[in-house]
Each structure stands twice: as structure tokens, then as C-alpha cells.
Amino acid sequence: MQIGENYKIEPPQPGNESYGYKIVDDLELIYPNLLVDLYQSVENNSFTTYPYGFYKNKILDSKELDLMKEFISELAGTEYHEILTEGINNIPTKDSLENSLEKINSLLEGGSDYAPDAYLFKFGNIGMDYNEALEEYNLMKTNGLDVAFTRYFSDYAGIFISLITWFLPLSVWLKDGKSGIINTIFVKSTGTIKLFLSRICAITVSILLVLILFYSYYEFKIVGTYGIENTNILKAYGLLIIWLIPNVLFCVSMSSLITIVTNNVITAIVGPLGTFITLLMSPKGIYGNYGWQLVLRHNTIGNEQYFLDHFNQLLLNRSVWLLIGVFICVLSIIALNKKREGYYAIKTSVSHKSRVKA
């Protein structure tokens, strides 16, 4: 329902009122706009923030306001009262800018447009003209129109699977709590690693297959509409898997670990709630945010050049979360092995003697 008809990727037409937006990582453009906005916010003593995903108008007291002016002067490299005349032209390095913005955002108690992981999407988001929109379209066409859609699909899919994937491992592991299963699976010679990995792989592959089937519906539409020569099927499916498998593995492994340790349905509450809170507190940039959060955002068909420029960051993010998922799997195997060695002999009414007979 969210995707709707947005899988259609049409070339721009001359004479349109708007040609969409793109994100540029250009401090010569970003810095003056940011500095003027920050200066005006100080003069009005009114700062728009979203500390927990909800709007808050932050007003500083006199000491905080003086400290804010010091931070801005440090950033601009000039006295506060000269910022609009002298400071705008003193373009800082990216590291220097983000160090100052870290202090400014902390003073505002987080969630501001000046946060190091948010300013780019506020002040680097600019409108395109016809030529820029045509160049963007041609770039998408060269790389594969279906790849452009894959990013958009993965944005929504990443959110939904990070909310609902918690429940499948929960149902699988809770079945081990039944006495009939305890008398068999916990005394079988099957190794814990084999038992755990077979289940995790089955769950993960099942979820990925469902995602691939959903995505394939749109893939067939795009190939049928634009021709196979304007698509890149292997790259599209490869990006889909790279993008989403860390989300699936993290949720599946964490759900398994919590359920194995607690042996109750707490995962059904903690998991989705944790994901929801993380989404609320994540950076506001949804048109190409490849920071360190679990759920990557690219809520637009376009923005191709930004995607290509930051592709290595995306791969690094996915690699880190994949390793975290693997590490949680290791912890889960250790917990499961301890459980098989004697946890149920103490915690349930099934006697050790009946387990031995089984």
C-alpha cells in the first residue's frame, strides 16, 4: 500500500513546475544555509527539535544562549555579531563542522536539524532543474531502473521486517517448552550448533523468500514496462539481499537469544517496541541515510548519485550489522547448549530419570 504506483519511473518532461529534489554533500552550499538558519534561531531563541521523534520547541536560558553563541563563533571563525558578513565565507572542513554541530546539538538535547547525522538532509536537500533531473534519470537508466526501485522497496521492507520478524523465532523456540519435546530434543545426540543453525537458516531463508516474492511482483512490472535492456536484474536482487539480510538475521538471532534465555513471550513485546523506539530516534534523513542504524533509509526512487557516492558506507553498515547478528547467534548457541545440559532438569517437572529413559 505504501509503494502504490511509485514503481513507475518516468523521464522528466520540459516545462514542469518541479523536478524533485536531490541531496548534495557540498559544504559550499550547505554551510551558508546552515549558518544563517542557526543564527536566526539564536536571534529568535527558538529551536525546532525532535528528541524522541516528536516535535519540541527548545528555548534556551541566558547562559545556554551565550554558550550557543560561543559555539557558533567557533564554527564561523569570527565574532558572533559578524557572522552574517564575515563568517559565511569561512567554509570549514567537514570534520570541523561536525565537531561544532555535535556541541550545538548536545546543547539542544538532541534531535535538532544541526545534528551531525541530520544536517545534510536539511540543508543539502535542493530542488533540481530539468537538466539535472534528466541527468539523474539517465544515471538510473544506466545502472538499471529496477535497482533504483530496489532501494525504495528495501526502505519499506526494512521497516516492516524489523517490526514483525521477531515473532517467528519466538514461536519456534517456545515449542521446545512442551514436555513431549523436552523428552526428545533435549536428550538427542544432535549437536547444539547443528540444531540451532538449522532452525536459524530455515527461518531466515523463509523470510527472505517471502521478501523476494513480493519484490518480484514489481520487478516483472518494471522489466515488462521498460525492457530488460534498461534493467539490471542480478544487481537489483543482489542489492535487495545485501540490504535486508542483516535486518532479518539480527531480529531472528536476537529473538532466539531472548526466547532461549527467558523461555517466555517477552520477545513479542521487547522486540517490536525496541525497533519502534529506534525508528523514532533515528536520524530524520529518509532519502538516503546510510549511517549506523539497523534500518537503512532511502525513501525515494531517485537520488542515484548520492547512493553511488555513499555505497561504501552502505556496505560497511550492512557488514557491521551482519557481524552483530552472527555474534548474537554465537551467544544463542552457548545459551542453548547450557539449557540442553541441565536447565530443564531443574526448571521443569520432567524428571532426570524420564529424560534418560527417553
Side-chain angles (χ1 to χ4, degrees), residues 25 27 34 75 92-105 114-120:
D25 195 356
L27 288 187
L34 185 154
L75 171 62
T93 64
K94 187 169 185 177
D95 288 341
S96 177
L97 172 64
E98 294 186 354
N99 286 336
S100 295
L101 292 180
E102 182 67 46
K103 299 176 184 177
I104 291 170
N105 187 59
Y114 313 114
D117 56 4
Y119 75 94
L120 180 64

Side-chain angles (χ1 to χ4, degrees), residues 149 159 202 255 341:
F149 175 78
I159 294 173
S255 177
E341 288 177 350

